[in-house]
Amino acid sequence: MILQNFIVLEGIDGAGTSTQLKKLKEKLGTTRAFYTAEPVETSETGKFLRRILSGEVPVHPGTAAFLFAADRNEHLYGKDGIVQKDSEGILCFSDRYLFSSLAYQAATCGEDLPRLLNSTFPLPRILFFFKITPEVSLARITGRGVTEIYEKVDFLKKTEAEYEKVVASFREKADSGMTVVEIDASKSPDEVFSVIWKTLQETYGL
Ligand code: ADP
Ligand code: MG
């Protein structure tokens, strides 16, 4: 199932999704659009996930997969969730969605569990996939050279490869009704934004 007013931004850390969400908010305002992210900032499940991601609470990778799916369920179906807003004609932009689970958790707990846990969630109308090399994204995050941090580069490389697989598998399902737009995220914030804006104009007549 597709949520017609739901739009998702995905990419490895440092790809620039949060920067673009902010630009969208500046341009579109909050009357007709809603801006959100996963893990959900306002939910208890999201707060718990952030503690796990920071390393404060160690859990088995499978446990994290379940919690991400639970948080997503709340994001969609909870009070003032995406499904309700989508049905009211409000454009819902999310910085990350189930594609993050499929890519990141595949890198930590394998493909099967995240796939199972995310198989029944609705898809967005548009998926913007931010493509960037791990070296460039890591340099953005750390603001310095990447030579000392091999491990992080390795993890980002693995995640990047998983993302490519996930996005390719959805692109092949042409009948899903979801449009996949791949963006060269190494371009400037304004250039990336113009690609997003053009797609939104074509889709929603903005
Ligand atoms: P993400 O949310 O994908 O992890 P952010 O949007 O937080 O990434 O951006 C990470 C860093 O890179 C920030 O310092 C941001 O200012 C910078 N940045 C974001 N987009 C670009 C871009 N297109 N070109 C150069 N730097 C960028
Ligand atoms: Mg971000």
Side-chain angles (χ1 to χ4, degrees), residues 7-196:
I7 299 129
V8 168
L9 284 62
E10 290 272 3
I12 57 173
D13 291 316
T17 56
S18 299
T19 299
Q20 293 301 319
L21 195 78
K22 201 164 145 252
K23 288 176 88 68
L24 281 162
K25 197 169 183 175
E26 283 162 11
K27 176 97 176 179
L28 268 170
T30 50
T31 315
R32 59 177 308 189
F34 170 64
Y35 309 88
T36 183
E38 292 191 359
V40 183
E41 272 133 17
T42 51
S43 73
E44 292 304 317
T45 41
K47 285 176 198 161
F48 187 45
L49 273 166
R50 285 175 199 277
R51 291 174 64 201
I52 291 170
L53 292 174
S54 73
E56 185 193 340
V57 182
V59 299
H60 180 271
T63 308
F66 277 101
L67 287 167
F68 271 106
D71 189 46
R72 187 159 300 126
N73 197 76
E74 197 58 25
H75 202 195
L76 287 162
Y77 304 111
K79 191 171 174 292
D80 296 326
I82 291 168
V83 167
Q84 188 193 318
K85 288 194 164 30
D86 177 89
S87 72
E88 291 167 0
I90 293 168
L91 293 178
C92 301
F93 293 94
S94 185
D95 184 352
R96 301 193 176 285
Y97 186 53
L98 60 82
F99 312 96
S100 283
S101 274
L102 298 177
Y104 279 83
Q105 272 124 48
T108 54
C109 75
E111 290 175 10
D112 292 349
L113 184 62
R115 216 182 263 170
L116 177 73
L117 295 174
N118 289 283
S119 58
T120 61
F121 291 130
L123 294 175
R125 174 73 183 80
I126 307 172
L127 164 61
F128 288 108
F129 177 49
F130 287 50
K131 283 182 74 132
I132 194 155
T133 64
E135 287 82 2
V136 174
S137 70
L138 198 57
R140 281 184 188 174
I141 297 167
T142 58
R144 59 193 163 104
V146 296
T147 43
E148 326 121 61
I149 8 186
Y150 303 108
E151 279 177 38
K152 286 192 180 169
V153 173
D154 279 353
F155 183 76
L156 280 180
K157 278 194 174 140
K158 209 172 163 190
T159 315
E160 158 68 12
E162 292 295 343
Y163 253 128
E164 291 287 348
K165 278 202 275 178
V166 167
V167 172
S169 75
F170 279 99
R171 214 191 297 102
E172 279 157 24
K173 292 183 212 155
D175 60 346
S176 77
M178 175 176 76
T179 303
V180 180
V181 180
E182 294 196 13
I183 296 184
D184 179 354
S186 67
K187 295 228 168 94
S188 74
D190 284 348
E191 284 172 306
V192 172
F193 187 76
S194 73
V195 175
I196 293 175

